[in-house]
């Protein structure tokens, strides 16, 4: 049963609780603070309580309509379906099935402001009449004693969006955190619990911007003076340090983005973080060779395969598994030494690099790789299961044609398939290559007693599916948003924008 039903039982006197717990099928309350109600209020609730509420089966409206679960909030007088019906479901002619804990002398359903304007149905004599749930519906009941009365607001919630659609709201976009208008280059990475952006301004000065909340776009900006000319696109981060190449290949490290130290390493390119080291490529007398810094006995340096991309790769991502003692990492696409584009996923296990993909990829450079979640049907009504997945967004082919259909991998880059039509990039989002992709959770809040009205909460946290907390009738959960930062457009200029996207269902209030 719903948490709020559990709370409502705290309104009943102790002598009634055992029987009601059996009838309603719930456990004892888990609220942190119990209320001490008056005896008269407790008697009122116990004599006018709705025991069960559901909708009569109607396959013309929705398959398994009668299995939709409705929560009954006795304290606040609200009956609602926490798991909203699919977008587009018609709810103007539904038949409710209501049972009461005790006999009622009156039970009327009042419809207001819907298609029926205003109408009243005597439920005790006309239980099979259809009800218009498009707007306000109220159930008014009077106990058998003719004295105690109570009203319930009945809400049949319908999703406003298709749950598995990827939404990129044109309002949810902000400018790059530059000091001056029209920046010419940028690179952004996640460092610990912050996002760090390095921006080259239109006057060739540099800006260092940091934020703990991309959702709020609250940036701290400062002009940055460096003792070297940076290769801005080489910026990468481990869990504790930033790394970047100078234009002459020298590798610099920084803990805060302000003070940079020469590592005395000279590299051709930076690949990405592995364990606490940064992976890269260096030129030697015998050719290109994989390298890493700081030195680690767990990482092996090997010669670079002739088909290994030396630039234009997606971000390098690592994953941990109980089957391997150390993480494995991979990236997608890129430009080979020959100038040809790669259509492969390259993986690294700490010892060797190898191609791990076997189907689904086209030659691509500058694609954005992020870890996310997708849902699959389980065969049970209104029940889907979440799975980790990798999304590959944007990038361009050898003819500078930009990809707009995201690819999805459920096996860590081995196989790829085109995302559904619900995941296509909207027309207002520009063609992008070399955009930085960062996934960060933002706490969202809803009131379980009042139609799932959602507001943004302060603070931050690490997201995991259905990671939520409750306090009374309020629920707070972590919603992961994808941020596409910067990138080059098909006009060959920097996109001065940060786009925010999300799988629609992740903004829906979790079912508890």
């Amino acid at each position: 049963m719903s948490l709020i039903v559990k709370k409502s039982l705290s309104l009943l006197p102790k002598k009634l609780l055992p029987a009601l717990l059996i009838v309603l099928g719930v456990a004892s309350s888990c609220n942190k603070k119990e209320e001490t109600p008056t005896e008269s209020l407790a008697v009122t609730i116990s004599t006018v309580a709705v025991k069960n509420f559901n909708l009569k089966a109607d396959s013309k409206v929705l398959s398994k309509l009668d299995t939709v679960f409705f929560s009954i909030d006795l304290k606040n007088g609200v009956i609602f379906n926490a798991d909203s019906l699919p977008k587009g479901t018609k709810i103007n002619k539904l038949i409710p099935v209501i049972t009461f804990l005790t006999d009622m002398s009156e039970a009327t359903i009042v419809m207001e402001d819907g298609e029926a304007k205003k109408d009243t149905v005597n439920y005790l004599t006309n239980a099979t009449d259809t009800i218009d749930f498009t707007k306000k519906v109220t159930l008014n009941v009077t106990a058998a004693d003719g004295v105690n009365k109570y009203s319930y607001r009945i809400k049949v919630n319908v999703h406003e969006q298709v749950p598995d659609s990827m939404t990129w709201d044109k309002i949810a976009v902000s400018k790059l955190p530059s000091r001056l208008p029209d920046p010419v280059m940028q690179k952004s990475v996640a460092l610990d619990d912050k996002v760090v952006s390095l921006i080259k301004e239109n006057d060739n000065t540099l800006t260092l911007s940091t934020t703990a909340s991309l959702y709020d776009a609250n940036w701290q900006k400062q002009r940055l003076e460096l003792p070297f000319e940076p290769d801005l696109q080489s910026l990468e981060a481990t869990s504790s340090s930033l790394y970047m190449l100078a234009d002459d290949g020298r590798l610099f490290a920084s803990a805060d983005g302000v003070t940079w130290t020469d590592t005395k390493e000279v590299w051709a390119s930076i690949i990405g973080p592995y364990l606490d080291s940064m992976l890269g490529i260096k030129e030697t007398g015998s050719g290109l060779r994989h390298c890493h810094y700081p030195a680690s006995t767990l990482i092996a340096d090997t010669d670079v395969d002739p088909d290994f991309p030396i630039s234009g790769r997606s971000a390098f991502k690592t994953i941990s598994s109980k089957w391997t003692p150390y993480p494995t990492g991979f990236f997608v696409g890129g430009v080979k030494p020959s100038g040809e584009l790669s259509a492969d996923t390259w993986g690294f296990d700490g010892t060797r690099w190898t191609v791990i993909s076997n189907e689904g990829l086209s030659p691509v450079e500058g694609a954005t790789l992020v870890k996310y979640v997708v849902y699959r049907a389980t065969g049970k009504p209104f029940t889907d299961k979440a799975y980790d997945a990798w999304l590959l967004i944007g990038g361009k082919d050898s003819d500078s044609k930009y990809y707009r259909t995201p690819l999805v991998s459920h096996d860590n880059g081995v196989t790829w398939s085109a995302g559904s039509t619900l995941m296509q990039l909207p027309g207002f989002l520009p063609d992008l290559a070399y955009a930085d992709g960062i996934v960060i959770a933002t706490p969202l809040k809803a009131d379980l007693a009042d139609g799932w009205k959602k507001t943004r909460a302060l603070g931050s946290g690490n997201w995991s599916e259905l990671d939520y907390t409750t306090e009374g009738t309020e629920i707070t959960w972590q919603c992961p948003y994808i941020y596409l930062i910067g990138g080059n457009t098909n006009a060959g200029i920097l996109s001065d924008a940060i786009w925010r996207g999300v799988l629609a269902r992740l903004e829906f209030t979790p079912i508890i």
Side-chain angles (χ1 to χ4, degrees), residues 319-332:
I319 52 176
S320 298
S321 168
K322 64 181 180 180
W323 309 112
T324 58
Y326 304 112
T328 57
F330 70 95
F331 64 79
V332 180

Side-chain angles (χ1 to χ4, degrees), residues 126-195:
N126 300 283
T128 59
D129 280 7
T130 60
I131 303 299
D132 175 11
F133 288 101
T134 57
K135 285 291 179 69
K136 184 177 181 181
V137 175
T138 304
L139 170 65
N140 299 314
V141 297
T142 302
D145 59 14
V147 176
N148 289 321
K149 298 182 179 182
Y150 203 59
S151 294
Y152 296 87
R153 172 78 184 276
I154 304 177
K155 301 179 182 181
V156 178
N157 294 315
V158 179
H159 285 311
E160 296 180 0
Q161 296 173 310
V162 178
D164 291 313
S165 61
M166 184 67 71
T167 62
W168 300 87
D169 191 341
K170 60 175 64 177
I171 297 177
V173 59
S174 62
K175 293 285 189 180
L176 292 176
S178 57
R179 292 180 295 110
L180 305 175
D182 303 320
V184 297
M185 189 179 299
Q186 81 85 39
K187 183 66 183 294
S188 299
V189 295
L191 176 67
D192 194 16
D193 59 349
K194 294 183 178 180
V195 176

Side-chain angles (χ1 to χ4, degrees), residues 173-186 199 201 430 432 484-489 493-499:
V173 59
S174 62
K175 293 285 189 180
L176 292 176
S178 57
R179 292 180 295 110
L180 305 175
D182 303 320
V184 297
M185 189 179 299
Q186 81 85 39
I199 298 173
E201 305 286 1
L432 290 174
L484 295 182
I485 307 174
N488 299 330
T489 69
I493 61 175
L494 176 68
S495 170
D496 185 14
I498 302 175
W499 294 92

Side-chain angles (χ1 to χ4, degrees), residues 98-110:
I98 308 170
T99 57
F100 302 98
L101 191 61
T102 60
D103 290 338
M104 298 293 166
S105 60
E106 293 183 15
T108 59
I109 298 175
V110 179

Side-chain angles (χ1 to χ4, degrees), residues 98-392:
I98 308 170
T99 57
F100 302 98
L101 191 61
T102 60
D103 290 338
M104 298 293 166
S105 60
E106 293 183 15
T108 59
I109 298 175
V110 179
M111 295 165 276
E112 297 180 62
D113 302 325
E115 294 177 8
K117 300 304 179 184
K118 185 172 184 178
D119 197 8
T120 301
V121 172
N122 185 334
Y123 184 76
L124 297 183
T125 59
N126 300 283
T128 59
D129 280 7
T130 60
I131 303 299
D132 175 11
F133 288 101
T134 57
K135 285 291 179 69
K136 184 177 181 181
V137 175
T138 304
L139 170 65
N140 299 314
V141 297
T142 302
D145 59 14
V147 176
N148 289 321
K149 298 182 179 182
Y150 203 59
S151 294
Y152 296 87
R153 172 78 184 276
I154 304 177
K155 301 179 182 181
V156 178
N157 294 315
V158 179
H159 285 311
E160 296 180 0
Q161 296 173 310
V162 178
D164 291 313
S165 61
M166 184 67 71
T167 62
W168 300 87
D169 191 341
K170 60 175 64 177
I171 297 177
V173 59
S174 62
K175 293 285 189 180
L176 292 176
S178 57
R179 292 180 295 110
L180 305 175
D182 303 320
V184 297
M185 189 179 299
Q186 81 85 39
K187 183 66 183 294
S188 299
V189 295
L191 176 67
D192 194 16
D193 59 349
K194 294 183 178 180
V195 176
V196 177
S197 290
L198 285 184
I199 298 173
K200 186 176 183 179
E201 305 286 1
N202 60 26
D203 63 353
N204 289 324
T205 60
L206 295 175
T207 297
L208 171 68
S209 298
T210 60
T211 183
S213 175
L214 274 174
Y215 196 104
D216 295 310
N218 182 22
W219 293 89
Q220 291 74 52
K221 309 173 187 178
Q222 65 182 91
R223 179 168 175 169
L224 182 64
E225 299 286 349
L226 294 178
F228 60 95
E229 186 64 31
D231 173 6
L232 218 60
Q233 289 301 312
S234 68
L235 179 68
E236 293 287 351
T238 62
S239 60
S240 59
S241 298
L242 297 166
Y243 290 89
M244 185 167 55
L245 297 178
D247 61 353
D248 59 6
R250 287 178 296 158
L251 178 66
F252 284 79
S254 174
D256 58 9
V258 177
T259 303
W260 293 80
T261 303
D262 190 343
T263 66
K264 308 304 180 183
E265 293 277 326
V266 178
W267 288 6
S269 69
I270 294 177
I271 297 175
Y274 183 83
L275 298 176
D276 293 324
S277 296
M278 188 61 63
L279 304 179
I281 299 174
K282 66 170 54 177
E283 294 183 358
T284 68
S286 58
L288 296 176
R289 187 169 176 81
H290 291 288
C291 56
H292 69 279
Y293 179 89
S296 171
T297 58
L298 301 176
I299 304 174
D301 292 342
T302 58
D303 292 335
V304 174
D305 187 283
D307 286 331
F308 188 89
I310 58 173
S311 65
R313 302 172 293 261
S314 75
F316 178 76
K317 302 292 186 178
T318 57
I319 52 176
S320 298
S321 168
K322 64 181 180 180
W323 309 112
T324 58
Y326 304 112
T328 57
F330 70 95
F331 64 79
V332 180
V335 183
K336 303 177 184 180
S338 65
E340 180 185 1
L341 297 190
S342 173
D344 295 318
T345 301
W346 281 81
F348 181 66
D349 63 1
T351 301
R352 61 181 181 139
W353 288 92
T354 187
V355 172
I356 63 173
S357 55
N358 59 25
E359 64 176 282
L361 284 174
S362 298
V364 63
E365 66 169 305
T368 302
L369 179 65
V370 294
K371 188 176 183 180
Y372 210 53
V373 62
V374 296
Y375 286 75
R376 296 175 179 172
T378 62
K380 296 181 180 180
F382 317 111
T383 304
D384 296 336
K385 183 174 177 58
Y387 292 88
D388 287 337
W390 292 92
L391 302 184
L392 194 67

